[in-house]
Amino acid sequence: MDCIFCKITSGVIPTNFVAESEHAVAFRDISPRQPVHLLVVPKKHYSDVAELTDNDENLLLEVLKLARQVAAENTDGSFRLTFNTGASAGQTVFHVHAHVTAKAARA
Ligand code: AMP
Ligand code: ZN
């Protein structure tokens, strides 16, 4: 298994999850670029959101719902939800993940 997010979601690399659902987890980005910077990652490996959308709409919806939950729990309500897709768009980890970023943490 050569995928870092497969190692994180399966527990091979111990990680503190800020939230978890049946098929997805959320954890803090190791190098945050905003005051709030969380990643929401399905436990099953798909390389990017295009592949996820084409193959598993239910899992895509679960990722979005978990992102919405962690945004509600960790931000003041204003946040960005980003799927970098493709190397030239800035994707560096090729296991689909949503960035939840915000300037203000929940008070
Ligand atoms: P992207 O560039 O959209 O593929 O996002 C990958 C993100 O994963 C980057 O923001 C990295 O900082 C983050 N990242 C890489 N390795 C880890 C890790 N072990 N734990 C948490 N976040 C990570
Ligand atoms: Zn993976």
Side-chain angles (χ1 to χ4, degrees), residues 42-57:
K43 296 175 185 177
K44 184 170 179 190
H45 184 99
Y46 290 103
S47 62
D48 59 33
V49 73
E51 190 180 82
L52 174 60
T53 302
D54 287 348
N55 290 285
D56 203 334
E57 291 178 9

Side-chain angles (χ1 to χ4, degrees), residues 58-75:
N58 290 336
L59 184 55
L60 173 64
L61 184 59
E62 186 175 329
V63 168
L64 293 176
K65 286 184 171 177
L66 190 59
R68 196 270 172 274
Q69 178 191 323
V70 298
E73 291 171 348
N74 292 276
T75 78

Side-chain angles (χ1 to χ4, degrees), residues 2 9 13 24 34 36 56 75-76 93 97 104:
D2 204 30
T9 57
I13 297 176
Q34 290 283 319
V36 179
D56 203 334
T75 78
D76 68 351
V93 176
H97 52 280

